[in-house]
Amino acid sequence: MSNQMMTLKKLAELSNFSVSTVSKALADNPEISIKTKNKIKKLAEFYNYKPNITAKNLKERKTRAIGVIIPNILAHFFAKVLSGIEKEATEKGYNIITCISDESFEKEVKSIEMLANGSVDGFIISISKETFVKENYKHLQGAIDKGLPISMFDRVTDKVYCDKVVINDFQSSYTATEKLIKSGCKNVVFVTPIHHTSVGLDRVSGYEKALKDILKRKGKPKVLVIEDYQKFTDSFTAFLKDNKVDGVVAADELSGIYTMNLLIGAGHRVPEDVSVIGFTDGILAGNSNPPLTTIDQRAVELGKVAANNIISRLEDNQKEAITYETTVLETYLIERGSTKFK
Protein backbone atom coordinates (compact mmCIF):
# COMPACT_ATOMS: atom_id res chain seq x y z
CA MET A 1 0.00 0.00 0.00
CA SER A 2 1.45 3.36 -0.97
CA ASN A 3 2.29 6.08 1.49
CA GLN A 4 -0.31 8.39 -0.08
CA MET A 5 -3.13 5.86 0.35
CA MET A 6 -2.52 5.18 4.03
CA THR A 7 -4.91 7.02 6.35
CA LEU A 8 -5.68 6.87 10.04
CA LYS A 9 -8.93 5.04 9.27
CA LYS A 10 -7.17 2.38 7.18
CA LEU A 11 -4.48 2.00 9.82
CA ALA A 12 -7.24 1.37 12.35
CA GLU A 13 -8.78 -1.33 10.14
CA LEU A 14 -5.42 -3.05 9.67
CA SER A 15 -4.67 -3.03 13.40
CA ASN A 16 -8.19 -4.05 14.47
CA PHE A 17 -8.41 -1.05 16.78
CA SER A 18 -10.72 1.96 16.67
CA VAL A 19 -9.63 5.19 15.01
CA SER A 20 -9.65 6.83 18.44
CA THR A 21 -7.35 4.19 19.92
CA VAL A 22 -4.91 4.41 17.02
CA SER A 23 -4.84 8.21 17.22
CA LYS A 24 -4.20 8.15 20.97
CA ALA A 25 -1.51 5.48 20.65
CA LEU A 26 0.41 7.47 18.06
CA ALA A 27 0.15 10.52 20.33
CA ASP A 28 1.52 8.54 23.33
CA ASN A 29 -1.69 9.03 25.26
CA PRO A 30 -1.33 7.42 28.74
CA GLU A 31 -4.82 5.88 28.36
CA ILE A 32 -3.37 3.36 25.90
CA SER A 33 -1.24 0.44 27.13
CA ILE A 34 2.41 0.19 26.15
CA LYS A 35 1.76 -3.11 24.39
CA THR A 36 -0.97 -1.57 22.22
CA LYS A 37 1.12 1.52 21.51
CA ASN A 38 4.05 -0.56 20.32
CA LYS A 39 1.86 -2.68 18.06
CA ILE A 40 0.21 0.32 16.43
CA LYS A 41 3.48 2.28 16.08
CA LYS A 42 5.21 -0.67 14.40
CA LEU A 43 2.35 -1.01 11.94
CA ALA A 44 2.41 2.74 11.24
CA GLU A 45 6.16 2.58 10.67
CA PHE A 46 5.81 -0.42 8.35
CA TYR A 47 3.32 1.45 6.15
CA ASN A 48 5.26 4.71 6.50
CA TYR A 49 2.15 6.40 7.82
CA LYS A 50 2.36 10.21 8.09
CA PRO A 51 -0.35 12.13 9.95
CA ASN A 52 -2.40 14.65 8.01
CA ILE A 53 -1.04 17.85 9.58
CA THR A 54 -3.60 20.08 7.87
CA ALA A 55 -6.52 18.05 9.20
CA LYS A 56 -4.93 17.90 12.64
CA ASN A 57 -4.44 21.66 12.70
CA LEU A 58 -8.03 22.31 11.63
CA LYS A 59 -9.31 20.01 14.34
CA GLU A 60 -7.18 21.71 16.97
CA ARG A 61 -7.93 25.14 15.47
CA LYS A 62 -4.22 25.83 15.11
CA THR A 63 -2.28 27.08 12.12
CA ARG A 64 1.15 26.05 13.44
CA ALA A 65 2.35 29.35 12.02
CA ILE A 66 4.03 32.20 13.90
CA GLY A 67 3.98 35.83 12.81
CA VAL A 68 7.39 37.50 12.98
CA ILE A 69 7.58 41.29 12.78
CA ILE A 70 10.99 42.97 12.50
CA PRO A 71 11.85 46.65 11.99
CA ASN A 72 14.44 46.31 9.25
CA ILE A 73 15.31 43.34 7.04
CA LEU A 74 18.42 45.08 5.65
CA ALA A 75 20.14 45.17 9.05
CA HIS A 76 22.44 42.18 9.45
CA PHE A 77 21.37 41.80 13.08
CA PHE A 78 17.69 41.26 12.27
CA ALA A 79 18.51 38.94 9.38
CA LYS A 80 20.54 36.76 11.77
CA VAL A 81 17.79 36.80 14.40
CA LEU A 82 15.32 35.74 11.72
CA SER A 83 17.53 32.78 10.78
CA GLY A 84 17.58 31.70 14.44
CA ILE A 85 13.79 31.97 14.68
CA GLU A 86 13.28 30.00 11.46
CA LYS A 87 15.64 27.22 12.53
CA GLU A 88 14.00 26.73 15.93
CA ALA A 89 10.46 26.98 14.53
CA THR A 90 11.14 24.45 11.77
CA GLU A 91 12.61 21.95 14.22
CA LYS A 92 9.44 22.24 16.32
CA GLY A 93 7.08 21.83 13.35
CA TYR A 94 6.10 25.48 12.91
CA ASN A 95 6.22 27.83 9.95
CA ILE A 96 6.89 31.56 10.16
CA ILE A 97 5.24 34.45 8.33
CA THR A 98 7.54 37.46 8.29
CA CYS A 99 6.47 41.10 8.05
CA ILE A 100 8.70 44.18 7.96
CA SER A 101 7.50 47.22 9.90
CA ASP A 102 10.20 49.44 8.37
CA GLU A 103 10.28 51.32 11.70
CA SER A 104 6.65 52.36 11.09
CA PHE A 105 3.95 52.22 13.78
CA GLU A 106 1.22 52.02 11.14
CA LYS A 107 2.86 49.10 9.31
CA GLU A 108 3.40 47.30 12.60
CA VAL A 109 -0.29 47.69 13.52
CA LYS A 110 -1.47 46.55 10.08
CA SER A 111 0.78 43.48 10.22
CA ILE A 112 -0.64 42.48 13.60
CA GLU A 113 -4.24 43.04 12.44
CA MET A 114 -3.73 41.10 9.21
CA LEU A 115 -2.13 38.05 10.83
CA ALA A 116 -4.35 38.02 13.94
CA ASN A 117 -7.37 37.02 11.87
CA GLY A 118 -6.63 33.31 11.95
CA SER A 119 -3.33 33.28 10.05
CA VAL A 120 -1.01 32.64 13.01
CA ASP A 121 -1.08 31.20 16.53
CA GLY A 122 1.13 33.92 18.04
CA PHE A 123 3.72 36.61 17.38
CA ILE A 124 7.44 37.28 17.72
CA ILE A 125 8.25 40.97 17.49
CA SER A 126 10.95 43.60 17.84
CA ILE A 127 9.20 46.95 18.24
CA SER A 128 9.56 49.75 15.67
CA LYS A 129 11.03 53.17 16.45
CA GLU A 130 7.72 54.94 15.78
CA THR A 131 5.89 52.68 18.21
CA PHE A 132 8.32 53.68 20.96
CA VAL A 133 7.89 57.36 20.08
CA LYS A 134 4.09 57.10 20.16
CA GLU A 135 4.16 54.89 23.26
CA ASN A 136 1.11 53.11 21.85
CA TYR A 137 1.06 49.36 22.39
CA LYS A 138 -2.69 48.73 22.13
CA HIS A 139 -2.28 46.57 19.02
CA LEU A 140 0.05 44.23 20.90
CA GLN A 141 -2.20 43.98 23.93
CA GLY A 142 -5.15 43.46 21.59
CA ALA A 143 -3.47 40.39 20.06
CA ILE A 144 -2.82 38.97 23.53
CA ASP A 145 -6.45 39.60 24.49
CA LYS A 146 -7.47 37.54 21.46
CA GLY A 147 -5.49 34.60 22.83
CA LEU A 148 -2.44 35.10 20.63
CA PRO A 149 0.70 35.07 22.81
CA ILE A 150 3.59 37.41 22.03
CA SER A 151 7.33 36.90 22.41
CA MET A 152 9.47 40.06 22.19
CA PHE A 153 13.17 40.29 21.41
CA ASP A 154 15.81 43.04 21.43
CA ARG A 155 13.48 46.06 21.42
CA VAL A 156 10.97 45.44 24.19
CA THR A 157 8.62 47.37 26.45
CA ASP A 158 7.51 46.91 30.04
CA LYS A 159 4.04 48.16 29.03
CA VAL A 160 3.17 44.75 27.57
CA TYR A 161 3.36 41.61 29.70
CA CYS A 162 4.88 38.75 27.72
CA ASP A 163 8.07 36.70 27.38
CA LYS A 164 11.12 38.70 26.29
CA VAL A 165 14.72 38.03 25.33
CA VAL A 166 17.35 40.77 25.26
CA ILE A 167 21.06 41.33 25.67
CA ASN A 168 22.44 43.40 28.55
CA ASP A 169 22.58 46.60 26.50
CA PHE A 170 23.49 48.84 29.44
CA GLN A 171 26.40 46.69 30.56
CA SER A 172 27.61 46.06 26.99
CA SER A 173 27.80 49.80 26.30
CA TYR A 174 29.40 50.43 29.69
CA THR A 175 32.08 47.82 28.95
CA ALA A 176 32.80 49.26 25.49
CA THR A 177 33.16 52.78 26.89
CA GLU A 178 35.30 51.52 29.75
CA LYS A 179 37.65 49.75 27.33
CA LEU A 180 38.13 52.95 25.33
CA ILE A 181 38.80 55.07 28.41
CA LYS A 182 41.28 52.58 29.85
CA SER A 183 43.09 52.50 26.50
CA GLY A 184 43.71 56.22 26.86
CA CYS A 185 40.63 57.86 25.32
CA LYS A 186 39.46 60.98 27.20
CA ASN A 187 36.93 62.38 24.73
CA VAL A 188 34.50 59.58 23.88
CA VAL A 189 31.29 60.35 21.99
CA PHE A 190 28.25 58.15 21.48
CA VAL A 191 26.62 57.94 18.04
CA THR A 192 23.13 56.49 17.67
CA PRO A 193 20.45 56.11 14.98
CA ILE A 194 18.13 54.24 17.42
CA HIS A 195 17.91 56.80 20.21
CA HIS A 196 14.15 56.45 20.75
CA THR A 197 14.17 52.67 21.23
CA SER A 198 14.59 50.70 24.44
CA VAL A 199 17.99 49.35 23.38
CA GLY A 200 19.17 52.77 22.21
CA LEU A 201 18.35 54.39 25.54
CA ASP A 202 19.98 51.58 27.53
CA ARG A 203 23.16 51.86 25.48
CA VAL A 204 23.34 55.63 26.01
CA SER A 205 22.83 55.10 29.75
CA GLY A 206 25.69 52.59 29.88
CA TYR A 207 27.98 55.00 28.05
CA GLU A 208 27.11 57.91 30.35
CA LYS A 209 27.53 55.81 33.51
CA ALA A 210 31.00 54.66 32.40
CA LEU A 211 32.09 58.27 31.83
CA LYS A 212 30.82 59.23 35.27
CA ASP A 213 32.40 56.24 37.07
CA ILE A 214 35.79 56.22 35.38
CA LEU A 215 36.46 59.82 34.40
CA LYS A 216 34.84 61.13 37.61
CA ARG A 217 32.60 63.59 35.75
CA LYS A 218 35.55 65.05 33.81
CA GLY A 219 34.16 63.72 30.58
CA LYS A 220 30.93 65.42 29.53
CA PRO A 221 28.55 62.97 27.78
CA LYS A 222 28.22 63.77 24.07
CA VAL A 223 25.42 61.89 22.36
CA LEU A 224 25.06 62.46 18.62
CA VAL A 225 21.68 61.29 17.31
CA ILE A 226 21.38 60.26 13.66
CA GLU A 227 17.92 60.95 12.25
CA ASP A 228 19.15 61.22 8.66
CA TYR A 229 22.54 59.94 7.52
CA GLN A 230 22.96 62.62 4.85
CA LYS A 231 22.37 65.41 7.37
CA PHE A 232 24.60 63.63 9.89
CA THR A 233 27.52 63.90 7.45
CA ASP A 234 27.38 67.68 7.66
CA SER A 235 26.65 67.89 11.38
CA PHE A 236 29.39 65.42 12.37
CA THR A 237 31.96 67.12 10.15
CA ALA A 238 31.11 70.43 11.85
CA PHE A 239 31.25 68.74 15.26
CA LEU A 240 34.79 67.49 14.60
CA LYS A 241 35.98 71.02 13.86
CA ASP A 242 34.79 72.30 17.26
CA ASN A 243 35.34 69.24 19.47
CA LYS A 244 38.20 66.89 20.24
CA VAL A 245 37.27 63.24 19.71
CA ASP A 246 39.50 60.26 20.43
CA GLY A 247 36.89 57.54 20.93
CA VAL A 248 33.49 56.59 19.49
CA VAL A 249 30.89 54.10 20.71
CA ALA A 250 28.26 53.53 18.01
CA ALA A 251 24.84 52.04 18.76
CA ASP A 252 24.87 49.72 15.74
CA GLU A 253 27.07 48.40 12.95
CA LEU A 254 26.17 50.85 10.19
CA SER A 255 26.56 53.96 12.35
CA GLY A 256 29.94 52.67 13.53
CA ILE A 257 31.28 52.19 10.01
CA TYR A 258 29.71 55.41 8.74
CA THR A 259 31.27 57.42 11.58
CA MET A 260 34.64 55.74 11.05
CA ASN A 261 34.59 56.67 7.35
CA LEU A 262 33.73 60.29 8.19
CA LEU A 263 36.62 60.42 10.66
CA ILE A 264 39.06 59.10 8.06
CA GLY A 265 37.64 61.51 5.47
CA ALA A 266 38.28 64.39 7.88
CA GLY A 267 41.94 63.41 8.18
CA HIS A 268 41.81 61.38 11.41
CA ARG A 269 43.59 58.03 11.63
CA VAL A 270 41.66 55.04 12.98
CA PRO A 271 42.71 53.75 15.48
CA GLU A 272 45.84 55.88 15.97
CA ASP A 273 43.87 59.09 16.54
CA VAL A 274 40.36 57.80 17.19
CA SER A 275 39.20 54.34 18.31
CA VAL A 276 35.73 53.13 17.24
CA ILE A 277 33.47 50.40 18.65
CA GLY A 278 30.07 49.41 17.26
CA PHE A 279 27.28 46.98 18.09
CA THR A 280 26.50 43.91 15.93
CA ASP A 281 29.10 41.62 14.41
CA GLY A 282 27.90 41.65 10.82
CA ILE A 283 29.42 41.21 7.38
CA LEU A 284 30.17 44.93 7.08
CA ALA A 285 32.06 45.06 10.37
CA GLY A 286 34.46 42.31 9.42
CA ASN A 287 35.14 43.76 5.97
CA SER A 288 35.44 47.48 6.66
CA ASN A 289 38.81 49.25 6.51
CA PRO A 290 39.98 48.97 9.19
CA PRO A 291 37.77 46.12 10.41
CA LEU A 292 35.34 47.37 13.07
CA THR A 293 35.66 46.27 16.70
CA THR A 294 32.15 45.16 17.69
CA ILE A 295 29.94 43.87 20.45
CA ASP A 296 28.50 40.53 19.38
CA GLN A 297 24.76 40.61 20.15
CA ARG A 298 24.31 36.84 19.72
CA ALA A 299 21.58 37.41 17.16
CA VAL A 300 20.98 33.78 16.20
CA GLU A 301 20.68 32.77 19.85
CA LEU A 302 18.24 35.64 20.46
CA GLY A 303 16.08 34.30 17.63
CA LYS A 304 16.15 30.75 18.94
CA VAL A 305 15.18 31.80 22.46
CA ALA A 306 12.37 34.05 21.17
CA ALA A 307 10.98 31.20 19.07
CA ASN A 308 11.30 28.69 21.88
CA ASN A 309 9.46 31.08 24.22
CA ILE A 310 6.42 31.42 21.96
CA ILE A 311 6.31 27.73 21.06
CA SER A 312 6.46 26.75 24.74
CA ARG A 313 3.43 28.95 25.39
CA LEU A 314 1.57 27.42 22.46
CA GLU A 315 2.44 23.82 23.26
CA ASP A 316 1.72 24.16 26.99
CA ASN A 317 -1.41 26.25 26.40
CA GLN A 318 0.04 28.94 28.68
CA LYS A 319 -1.43 31.84 26.73
CA GLU A 320 -2.62 33.51 29.91
CA ALA A 321 0.41 32.92 32.06
CA ILE A 322 0.57 34.53 35.48
CA THR A 323 4.29 35.12 35.13
CA TYR A 324 6.48 35.78 32.12
CA GLU A 325 10.23 35.47 31.71
CA THR A 326 12.78 37.98 30.48
CA THR A 327 15.92 36.20 29.31
CA VAL A 328 19.11 38.30 29.29
CA LEU A 329 21.96 37.03 27.11
CA GLU A 330 25.51 38.14 27.84
CA THR A 331 27.57 39.66 25.03
CA TYR A 332 31.28 39.76 24.26
CA LEU A 333 33.62 42.16 22.50
CA ILE A 334 35.30 41.19 19.24
CA GLU A 335 38.51 43.23 18.98
CA ARG A 336 39.57 44.30 15.49
CA GLY A 337 41.60 47.02 13.84
CA SER A 338 39.42 50.03 14.72
CA THR A 339 40.65 50.10 18.33
CA LYS A 340 44.01 50.10 20.08
CA PHE A 341 43.63 48.59 23.54
CA LYS A 342 46.48 48.57 26.06
Side-chain angles (χ1 to χ4, degrees):
M1 186 174 293
S2 70
N3 173 22
Q4 293 180 338
M5 294 173 61
M6 180 53 64
T7 64
L8 192 66
K9 184 178 179 180
K10 290 178 180 178
L11 196 62
E13 292 173 355
L14 288 168
S15 65
N16 292 320
F17 289 108
S18 68
V19 171
S20 176
T21 298
V22 172
S23 178
K24 289 180 179 179
L26 293 174
D28 275 326
N29 191 303
E31 295 177 13
I32 309 302
S33 69
I34 295 177
K35 182 179 179 181
T36 301
K37 284 182 186 178
N38 290 338
K39 180 179 178 180
I40 292 172
K41 286 181 179 180
K42 285 182 180 179
L43 193 65
E45 184 179 359
F46 178 78
Y47 285 105
N48 196 26
Y49 168 74
K50 302 294 181 185
N52 187 328
I53 298 298
T54 302
K56 182 176 183 290
N57 291 345
L58 287 171
K59 183 178 179 181
E60 295 178 354
R61 295 185 178 181
K62 289 184 177 181
T63 65
R64 295 195 75 79
I66 299 167
V68 181
I69 303 174
I70 59 177
N72 182 1
I73 191 60
L74 297 178
H76 183 81
F77 169 72
F78 288 114
K80 294 294 284 184
V81 172
L82 192 60
S83 70
I85 292 172
E86 196 275 336
K87 179 176 175 57
E88 187 71 14
T90 300
E91 289 179 357
K92 299 291 177 62
Y94 284 79
N95 295 311
I96 64 172
I97 300 175
T98 306
C99 294
I100 316 300
S101 69
D102 198 26
E103 303 291 9
S104 163
F105 169 77
E106 184 179 354
K107 287 184 179 180
E108 187 175 289
V109 171
K110 286 184 177 179
S111 295
I112 292 284
E113 291 176 347
M114 175 186 68
L115 297 177
N117 291 323
S119 298
V120 299
D121 299 329
F123 291 96
I124 297 174
I125 185 170
S126 186
I127 301 171
S128 73
K129 279 197 280 191
E130 276 194 2
T131 301
F132 279 111
V133 172
K134 291 178 179 292
E135 295 186 341
N136 186 339
Y137 308 103
K138 291 181 180 178
H139 55 299
L140 301 177
Q141 189 57 52
I144 293 173
D145 292 342
K146 284 184 178 181
L148 299 169
I150 287 178
S151 172
M152 289 185 185
F153 73 91
D154 190 51
R155 302 183 190 177
V156 304
T157 175
D158 293 334
K159 302 291 178 65
V160 179
Y161 295 102
C162 62
D163 293 310
K164 297 155 190 169
V165 54
V166 296
I167 64 167
N168 193 330
D169 288 287
F170 176 91
Q171 185 58 50
S172 298
S173 188
Y174 186 103
T175 300
T177 308
E178 180 183 40
K179 288 279 286 185
L180 289 179
I181 294 171
K182 290 187 174 180
S183 71
C185 298
K186 301 297 182 184
N187 300 282
V188 183
V189 301
F190 191 91
V191 177
T192 174
I194 52 172
H195 188 59
H196 300 295
T197 67
S198 59
V199 297
L201 294 173
D202 283 346
R203 291 171 193 177
V204 167
S205 295
Y207 154 76
E208 292 180 341
K209 186 66 164 59
L211 289 184
K212 180 180 178 181
D213 289 351
I214 305 167
L215 293 179
K216 307 301 180 185
R217 299 181 183 271
K218 292 180 181 179
K220 184 180 178 182
K222 295 176 182 176
V223 179
L224 308 179
V225 179
I226 303 175
E227 301 288 358
D228 180 285
Y229 273 96
Q230 189 57 48
K231 292 180 180 178
F232 178 70
T233 298
D234 297 330
S235 62
F236 187 66
T237 300
F239 178 84
L240 288 175
K241 290 180 181 178
D242 300 327
N243 297 271
K244 184 176 180 181
V245 177
D246 55 15
V248 175
V249 177
D252 67 3
E253 180 186 38
L254 181 58
S255 61
I257 293 172
Y258 200 88
T259 302
M260 185 167 64
N261 289 341
L262 290 178
L263 285 163
I264 293 171
H268 297 278
R269 297 172 301 165
V270 178
E272 291 83 0
D273 300 325
V274 186
S275 290
V276 183
I277 298 177
F279 276 75
T280 303
D281 181 36
I283 296 173
L284 295 177
N287 291 280
S288 60
N289 186 21
L292 182 67
T293 293
T294 57
I295 295 164
D296 191 311
Q297 294 177 250
R298 298 178 63 189
V300 173
E301 185 66 19
L302 273 173
K304 288 183 177 180
V305 174
N308 186 62
N309 283 344
I310 194 74
I311 292 170
S312 294
R313 294 293 178 193
L314 295 171
E315 297 291 333
D316 298 338
N317 294 315
Q318 296 177 0
K319 296 180 182 179
E320 297 181 3
I322 297 174
T323 59
Y324 294 97
E325 293 184 3
T326 295
T327 305
V328 181
L329 301 182
E330 294 302 320
T331 61
Y332 56 91
L333 194 69
I334 300 176
E335 297 183 17
R336 296 196 179 98
S338 67
T339 51
K340 51 178 180 62
F341 296 134
K342 293 180 179 179

PDB file of all heavy atoms in Angstrom, residues 16 18 99 112 121 133 143 151 167 183 216 234 240-241 256 297 332:
ATOM      1  N   ASN A  16      -7.017  -3.562  13.720  1.00  0.00           N
ATOM      2  CA  ASN A  16      -8.193  -4.055  14.467  1.00  0.00           C
ATOM      3  C   ASN A  16      -8.460  -3.243  15.733  1.00  0.00           C
ATOM      4  O   ASN A  16      -8.976  -3.775  16.721  1.00  0.00           O
ATOM      5  CB  ASN A  16      -8.034  -5.540  14.826  1.00  0.00           C
ATOM      6  CG  ASN A  16      -8.072  -6.426  13.601  1.00  0.00           C
ATOM      7  OD1 ASN A  16      -8.871  -6.188  12.683  1.00  0.00           O
ATOM      8  ND2 ASN A  16      -7.216  -7.431  13.554  1.00  0.00           N
ATOM      9  N   SER A  18      -9.909   0.818  17.111  1.00  0.00           N
ATOM     10  CA  SER A  18     -10.720   1.955  16.675  1.00  0.00           C
ATOM     11  C   SER A  18      -9.812   3.105  16.241  1.00  0.00           C
ATOM     12  O   SER A  18      -8.626   3.154  16.615  1.00  0.00           O
ATOM     13  CB  SER A  18     -11.625   2.431  17.810  1.00  0.00           C
ATOM     14  OG  SER A  18     -10.862   2.993  18.857  1.00  0.00           O
ATOM     15  N   CYS A  99       6.877  39.771   8.504  1.00  0.00           N
ATOM     16  CA  CYS A  99       6.474  41.097   8.049  1.00  0.00           C
ATOM     17  C   CYS A  99       7.534  42.105   8.474  1.00  0.00           C
ATOM     18  O   CYS A  99       8.161  41.954   9.522  1.00  0.00           O
ATOM     19  CB  CYS A  99       5.123  41.496   8.655  1.00  0.00           C
ATOM     20  SG  CYS A  99       3.728  40.490   8.108  1.00  0.00           S
ATOM     21  N   ILE A 112       0.006  43.194  12.501  1.00  0.00           N
ATOM     22  CA  ILE A 112      -0.640  42.480  13.599  1.00  0.00           C
ATOM     23  C   ILE A 112      -2.088  42.189  13.258  1.00  0.00           C
ATOM     24  O   ILE A 112      -2.579  41.058  13.428  1.00  0.00           O
ATOM     25  CB  ILE A 112      -0.563  43.305  14.907  1.00  0.00           C
ATOM     26  CG1 ILE A 112       0.871  43.396  15.418  1.00  0.00           C
ATOM     27  CG2 ILE A 112      -1.478  42.712  15.977  1.00  0.00           C
ATOM     28  CD1 ILE A 112       1.400  42.167  16.086  1.00  0.00           C
ATOM     29  N   ASP A 121      -0.721  31.571  15.151  1.00  0.00           N
ATOM     30  CA  ASP A 121      -1.075  31.204  16.526  1.00  0.00           C
ATOM     31  C   ASP A 121      -0.495  32.178  17.544  1.00  0.00           C
ATOM     32  O   ASP A 121      -0.898  32.186  18.710  1.00  0.00           O
ATOM     33  CB  ASP A 121      -0.562  29.792  16.841  1.00  0.00           C
ATOM     34  CG  ASP A 121      -1.179  28.740  15.935  1.00  0.00           C
ATOM     35  OD1 ASP A 121      -2.333  28.926  15.520  1.00  0.00           O
ATOM     36  OD2 ASP A 121      -0.499  27.738  15.640  1.00  0.00           O
ATOM     37  N   VAL A 133       8.137  55.913  20.026  1.00  0.00           N
ATOM     38  CA  VAL A 133       7.894  57.357  20.081  1.00  0.00           C
ATOM     39  C   VAL A 133       6.447  57.644  20.472  1.00  0.00           C
ATOM     40  O   VAL A 133       6.165  58.510  21.305  1.00  0.00           O
ATOM     41  CB  VAL A 133       8.234  58.020  18.729  1.00  0.00           C
ATOM     42  CG1 VAL A 133       7.799  59.485  18.735  1.00  0.00           C
ATOM     43  CG2 VAL A 133       9.731  57.926  18.445  1.00  0.00           C
ATOM     44  N   ALA A 143      -3.764  41.751  20.539  1.00  0.00           N
ATOM     45  CA  ALA A 143      -3.471  40.394  20.061  1.00  0.00           C
ATOM     46  C   ALA A 143      -3.465  39.414  21.230  1.00  0.00           C
ATOM     47  O   ALA A 143      -4.010  38.307  21.134  1.00  0.00           O
ATOM     48  CB  ALA A 143      -2.126  40.373  19.343  1.00  0.00           C
ATOM     49  N   SER A 151       5.965  37.026  21.908  1.00  0.00           N
ATOM     50  CA  SER A 151       7.335  36.899  22.408  1.00  0.00           C
ATOM     51  C   SER A 151       8.126  38.046  21.810  1.00  0.00           C
ATOM     52  O   SER A 151       8.195  38.192  20.589  1.00  0.00           O
ATOM     53  CB  SER A 151       7.933  35.553  21.982  1.00  0.00           C
ATOM     54  OG  SER A 151       9.302  35.486  22.299  1.00  0.00           O
ATOM     55  N   ILE A 167      19.687  41.367  25.181  1.00  0.00           N
ATOM     56  CA  ILE A 167      21.064  41.330  25.675  1.00  0.00           C
ATOM     57  C   ILE A 167      21.160  42.388  26.769  1.00  0.00           C
ATOM     58  O   ILE A 167      20.262  43.222  26.920  1.00  0.00           O
ATOM     59  CB  ILE A 167      22.102  41.605  24.572  1.00  0.00           C
ATOM     60  CG1 ILE A 167      21.947  43.036  24.023  1.00  0.00           C
ATOM     61  CG2 ILE A 167      22.016  40.572  23.471  1.00  0.00           C
ATOM     62  CD1 ILE A 167      23.090  43.502  23.164  1.00  0.00           C
ATOM     63  N   SER A 183      42.048  52.563  27.542  1.00  0.00           N
ATOM     64  CA  SER A 183      43.092  52.505  26.504  1.00  0.00           C
ATOM     65  C   SER A 183      43.683  53.889  26.239  1.00  0.00           C
ATOM     66  O   SER A 183      44.558  54.049  25.388  1.00  0.00           O
ATOM     67  CB  SER A 183      42.524  51.929  25.208  1.00  0.00           C
ATOM     68  OG  SER A 183      41.638  52.856  24.588  1.00  0.00           O
ATOM     69  N   LYS A 216      35.249  60.315  36.455  1.00  0.00           N
ATOM     70  CA  LYS A 216      34.844  61.134  37.612  1.00  0.00           C
ATOM     71  C   LYS A 216      34.287  62.495  37.182  1.00  0.00           C
ATOM     72  O   LYS A 216      34.727  63.545  37.634  1.00  0.00           O
ATOM     73  CB  LYS A 216      36.035  61.348  38.561  1.00  0.00           C
ATOM     74  CG  LYS A 216      36.728  60.057  38.996  1.00  0.00           C
ATOM     75  CD  LYS A 216      35.780  59.108  39.716  1.00  0.00           C
ATOM     76  CE  LYS A 216      36.487  57.846  40.144  1.00  0.00           C
ATOM     77  NZ  LYS A 216      35.576  56.852  40.731  1.00  0.00           N
ATOM     78  N   ASP A 234      27.056  66.264   7.468  1.00  0.00           N
ATOM     79  CA  ASP A 234      27.379  67.678   7.658  1.00  0.00           C
ATOM     80  C   ASP A 234      27.543  68.029   9.136  1.00  0.00           C
ATOM     81  O   ASP A 234      28.491  68.730   9.520  1.00  0.00           O
ATOM     82  CB  ASP A 234      26.290  68.554   7.031  1.00  0.00           C
ATOM     83  CG  ASP A 234      26.186  68.357   5.523  1.00  0.00           C
ATOM     84  OD1 ASP A 234      27.218  68.040   4.907  1.00  0.00           O
ATOM     85  OD2 ASP A 234      25.089  68.512   4.978  1.00  0.00           O
ATOM     86  N   LEU A 240      33.366  67.810  14.501  1.00  0.00           N
ATOM     87  CA  LEU A 240      34.793  67.485  14.602  1.00  0.00           C
ATOM     88  C   LEU A 240      35.669  68.737  14.586  1.00  0.00           C
ATOM     89  O   LEU A 240      36.752  68.748  15.173  1.00  0.00           O
ATOM     90  CB  LEU A 240      35.197  66.562  13.451  1.00  0.00           C
ATOM     91  CG  LEU A 240      34.692  65.113  13.517  1.00  0.00           C
ATOM     92  CD1 LEU A 240      35.078  64.355  12.255  1.00  0.00           C
ATOM     93  CD2 LEU A 240      35.242  64.402  14.753  1.00  0.00           C
ATOM     94  N   LYS A 241      35.199  69.784  13.934  1.00  0.00           N
ATOM     95  CA  LYS A 241      35.980  71.020  13.864  1.00  0.00           C
ATOM     96  C   LYS A 241      36.003  71.750  15.215  1.00  0.00           C
ATOM     97  O   LYS A 241      36.966  72.445  15.532  1.00  0.00           O
ATOM     98  CB  LYS A 241      35.398  71.935  12.789  1.00  0.00           C
ATOM     99  CG  LYS A 241      35.613  71.422  11.369  1.00  0.00           C
ATOM    100  CD  LYS A 241      35.005  72.375  10.355  1.00  0.00           C
ATOM    101  CE  LYS A 241      35.211  71.847   8.923  1.00  0.00           C
ATOM    102  NZ  LYS A 241      34.588  72.754   7.920  1.00  0.00           N
ATOM    103  N   GLY A 256      28.531  52.796  13.192  1.00  0.00           N
ATOM    104  CA  GLY A 256      29.942  52.670  13.534  1.00  0.00           C
ATOM    105  C   GLY A 256      30.823  52.822  12.316  1.00  0.00           C
ATOM    106  O   GLY A 256      31.821  53.558  12.330  1.00  0.00           O
ATOM    107  N   GLN A 297      26.071  40.631  19.490  1.00  0.00           N
ATOM    108  CA  GLN A 297      24.762  40.610  20.150  1.00  0.00           C
ATOM    109  C   GLN A 297      24.112  39.234  20.176  1.00  0.00           C
ATOM    110  O   GLN A 297      22.968  39.102  20.613  1.00  0.00           O
ATOM    111  CB  GLN A 297      23.815  41.599  19.454  1.00  0.00           C
ATOM    112  CG  GLN A 297      24.224  43.038  19.603  1.00  0.00           C
ATOM    113  CD  GLN A 297      23.295  43.970  18.842  1.00  0.00           C
ATOM    114  OE1 GLN A 297      23.675  44.563  17.847  1.00  0.00           O
ATOM    115  NE2 GLN A 297      22.067  44.108  19.309  1.00  0.00           N
ATOM    116  N   TYR A 332      29.822  39.688  24.144  1.00  0.00           N
ATOM    117  CA  TYR A 332      31.282  39.756  24.257  1.00  0.00           C
ATOM    118  C   TYR A 332      31.842  40.648  23.153  1.00  0.00           C
ATOM    119  O   TYR A 332      31.207  40.848  22.104  1.00  0.00           O
ATOM    120  CB  TYR A 332      31.910  38.364  24.199  1.00  0.00           C
ATOM    121  CG  TYR A 332      31.566  37.549  22.986  1.00  0.00           C
ATOM    122  CD1 TYR A 332      32.371  37.593  21.848  1.00  0.00           C
ATOM    123  CD2 TYR A 332      30.448  36.712  22.966  1.00  0.00           C
ATOM    124  CE1 TYR A 332      32.069  36.836  20.729  1.00  0.00           C
ATOM    125  CE2 TYR A 332      30.133  35.950  21.852  1.00  0.00           C
ATOM    126  CZ  TYR A 332      30.950  36.017  20.741  1.00  0.00           C
ATOM    127  OH  TYR A 332      30.647  35.278  19.626  1.00  0.00           O
TER     128      TYR A 332
END
